Amino acid sequence: MTTLANGQAPEIEVGLTGGEARPRARAPFGRRLAPVRGNAAVGAYRLISVEDEGGPSPEPGQFYMLAAAERWGGGEGERPFLARAFSVCRTRGKGLDFLLEDIGPGTRRLATLAPGEDVWLVGPLGAGFRAPWVVDPSARRALLVGGGIGVAPLVIWSETLAASNVESRVLLGFRSASYSVAADLFADQAEIATDDGSTGRAGLVTELLATELDRTSDAVVYACGPPAMLEAVRRICAASAVAAELALEEAMACGFGACFGCVVRTRTGYRRICVDGPVMSADELDGSWLER
Amino acid sequence: MSDLRVELAGLELAHPVLNGSGTFDAIAALRTFGDELRDRFPFAAFVSKTITAEARGGNPPPRLWETPAGLINSIGLPNKGLDGFLEQDLPELASLPAPLIVSVAGFSLPQFQLLVSRVAERPEVAALELNVSCPNVESGCVMGSEPAETAAVMRAVRPLATKPLIVKLTPNATDVGAVAAAAEAEGADALSLINTLKAMAFDPAEGRPWLGAGHGGLSGPAVRAVALEQTYEVSSRVRVPVIGMGGIASGRDALDFIHAGARCVAVGTESFRDPAAASRVRDELRDLFAKREVRAIDDTPETASADLVK
C-alpha cells in the first residue's frame, strides 16, 4: 500500500513538460508475463487480478498496458493488435487489480481471462495524483469524483488517502444501478448519481460536485471519467477556485511516449497523456480541449 | 556464437537491429524505464524522431486507428524544431549507448540544406536520415515519390555533409526502385524503407474520416509483405546498403528482410507492443544464425536455404 509520508510520494520526478512534481514509479523495461489470479464480476464490469511478481508498486493514477498472452488478435475485425491501457484500480501485495468494461475486441478478450492464463504487462506508466497539500497548501480534504469505468484509479487513491489519514469524500456517477456496483470497491460510502435514477440520485455526478462545492472550498478535487464529465468538473472547479487533478484517458498504442498518438490539447500545446499524464492539473486545460 | 556485427555506411554496429524513426522516443522512455533502458538498450544505432526546421505541434487528435495486425497513425511530425532539438534533445540523445542517426525533413530544398548543415556539424551525430515523405511546398510533390525530386534533395544537401546520408524511402511512389537509384546516383550512403503506407479509417458512428488529419500511414505486420517486396526491389537496384523495415516482430521476420537484400533491419510498431521488442528480434536473429551456422550478416545470401524461410 502506498502512503503519503511527509507529503512526499516515494519517487518524485519533475514532470516532462509541466514542471510540476508528480509521483512516477519506474517501469521495468520491456513487457513481462503476469499470471491471472482472478476475474470477478463487479456489476456490469469485470475486475481482473494479476500477479506482478517482479514489478514495482505503482503510484495511484499510474496505468499499465495489458494484452492477453494467447489469442490476442483474430477477434472481431481481426483485432486486437495493440495492448490496452488500464489504470491500476487497487493493489494487494504483488497483485494488481484492473477494472474493465467489455466495449471492443481488446476488452472483450481481457474480460474472458481465466486464472491460469497470462497477460503481457508493461508498467507502471505515466504519472499519478499529487497529494492534496502538494496541489494546494491550504487544502484540508479530498473530493474524489468518478464517472463509470473512470472510478478505477480513484479506488487506489481513496485507499492511499485513508492510509495517510486524509479526509476524503467519494462522488460517483454511473449509467444505471448495474454499473454502480463498482461503488462497493470503495471502503467509504460513496454518494451516487445515475443517469436513469435506478439507484442514488437521478442526474450527473457533476451535480453532486457542484452541491458539495457550494458547501466547502477547502478541498482538492480528483476526477476520472468520460471527457465531457471531466470538462464539467474542470469548469465547476474553476468557477469555485478549487484545484482539480484530472485523470485523462485516450486510446494509446504504446503507453510510454513512443507513438505520440494520445495527445490532448493543453494551454501549452499538445501533450502526450501517457507520459505527461494521465493525471494532469485542470489548470493545464482550457475549454477547447474537447473540440474537434 | 554467431557474429551479428555489421558495417553500415561506415558505422560499425554491434548488430543489425535499429529503430524506425518516430517509433521510439528515447527521452520519454528514459523517464519511464530509467537507467535499465541504457543497460539493455535494444538498438544498435538510435534513429531520432524526425526534426523539421520550425517547431511543429503535430496533427489534431484522434491520431491512431487500430487495423487488422496494424496501426494507422497520423501524428504530423511534432518536434521542437531545429534549434530546440539541438539545444534540448541532442545532449540527452548523445548519452545513449548507441550511435545517433538524426532524421530530418524539409518542406523545401533550403530547409533541407539548413537542417543537414546544422545537424551534420554536431559531433554527437553519427549519420543523418533524410525523411523525404513530406510535400515540397514549391512543387507540391512529395519529394520521395519522384526520382527527380529525390535527386534534387540529395544534390542540394550532399555537398554540406561528409557524414553518411541515409534516404528514407516512401512506399507511396510509382517506382520505388527508380527513386532508390536516383538517391544512390546523387550520393546517398544508404537507403531505408519502408515508411508508412498511406491509409484511412472512417468513424463507424459518424461516417466521416476518423483521424484528425483525415488520413495517415499504415504500419505493423499488415504491411510486412509489401515492405519485403520493396526491400527486394530496391536492394536489386542499388549497391549501397539497405535498412529494411515494415512489420518486423520476430527474428524470422528480420531474416526475411535480410534475405530480401537488407543489410540492417528496423523495428517500429512492434516496439509499441513491447518496448524491448528489438532486443528479442536481435536475440532470435542470433539464434537463427547459429542454427544455420551463419558466421556474419554478409554470409547470409550464400547459406540461407529454402527451409529457413518457409
mmCIF file of all heavy atoms in Angstrom, chain A residues 156 205 207 209 216 239 291:
data_model
loop_
_atom_site.group_PDB
_atom_site.id
_atom_site.type_symbol
_atom_site.label_atom_id
_atom_site.label_comp_id
_atom_site.label_asym_id
_atom_site.label_seq_id
_atom_site.Cartn_x
_atom_site.Cartn_y
_atom_site.Cartn_z
ATOM 1 N N ILE A 156 -7.785 3.072 -5.655
ATOM 2 C CA ILE A 156 -6.453 3.017 -5.030
ATOM 3 C C ILE A 156 -6.107 4.366 -4.393
ATOM 4 O O ILE A 156 -5.476 4.422 -3.337
ATOM 5 C CB ILE A 156 -5.365 2.572 -6.050
ATOM 6 C CG1 ILE A 156 -3.993 2.482 -5.376
ATOM 7 C CG2 ILE A 156 -5.312 3.462 -7.260
ATOM 8 C CD1 ILE A 156 -2.888 1.934 -6.260
ATOM 9 N N VAL A 205 -23.035 13.167 -11.866
ATOM 10 C CA VAL A 205 -22.148 13.259 -10.706
ATOM 11 C C VAL A 205 -21.640 14.684 -10.539
ATOM 12 O O VAL A 205 -21.340 15.127 -9.428
ATOM 13 C CB VAL A 205 -20.985 12.245 -10.833
ATOM 14 C CG1 VAL A 205 -20.040 12.621 -11.962
ATOM 15 C CG2 VAL A 205 -20.233 12.120 -9.521
ATOM 16 N N GLU A 207 -23.375 17.268 -10.772
ATOM 17 C CA GLU A 207 -24.358 17.995 -9.951
ATOM 18 C C GLU A 207 -24.067 17.764 -8.470
ATOM 19 O O GLU A 207 -24.199 18.681 -7.653
ATOM 20 C CB GLU A 207 -25.779 17.549 -10.313
ATOM 21 C CG GLU A 207 -26.191 17.962 -11.736
ATOM 22 C CD GLU A 207 -27.371 17.148 -12.281
ATOM 23 O OE1 GLU A 207 -28.113 16.551 -11.463
ATOM 24 O OE2 GLU A 207 -27.533 17.109 -13.516
ATOM 25 N N LEU A 209 -21.109 17.226 -7.333
ATOM 26 C CA LEU A 209 -19.903 18.013 -7.073
ATOM 27 C C LEU A 209 -20.250 19.482 -6.849
ATOM 28 O O LEU A 209 -19.736 20.120 -5.923
ATOM 29 C CB LEU A 209 -18.922 17.867 -8.243
ATOM 30 C CG LEU A 209 -17.679 18.766 -8.183
ATOM 31 C CD1 LEU A 209 -16.800 18.394 -6.985
ATOM 32 C CD2 LEU A 209 -16.878 18.682 -9.478
ATOM 33 N N THR A 216 -18.314 23.784 0.588
ATOM 34 C CA THR A 216 -16.920 23.765 1.032
ATOM 35 C C THR A 216 -15.994 24.198 -0.091
ATOM 36 O O THR A 216 -16.296 23.991 -1.266
ATOM 37 C CB THR A 216 -16.511 22.345 1.488
ATOM 38 O OG1 THR A 216 -15.141 22.374 1.834
ATOM 39 C CG2 THR A 216 -16.721 21.330 0.387
ATOM 40 N N ALA A 239 -14.771 27.685 -11.509
ATOM 41 C CA ALA A 239 -15.719 28.699 -11.024
ATOM 42 C C ALA A 239 -15.653 28.829 -9.514
ATOM 43 O O ALA A 239 -15.892 29.910 -8.957
ATOM 44 C CB ALA A 239 -17.137 28.339 -11.472
ATOM 45 N N GLU A 291 -12.714 20.095 -28.345
ATOM 46 C CA GLU A 291 -13.157 20.476 -29.693
ATOM 47 C C GLU A 291 -12.491 19.592 -30.735
ATOM 48 O O GLU A 291 -11.325 19.240 -30.610
ATOM 49 C CB GLU A 291 -12.784 21.942 -29.977
ATOM 50 C CG GLU A 291 -13.627 22.926 -29.196
ATOM 51 C CD GLU A 291 -13.071 24.346 -29.303
ATOM 52 O OE1 GLU A 291 -12.203 24.584 -30.170
ATOM 53 O OE2 GLU A 291 -13.511 25.189 -28.504
#
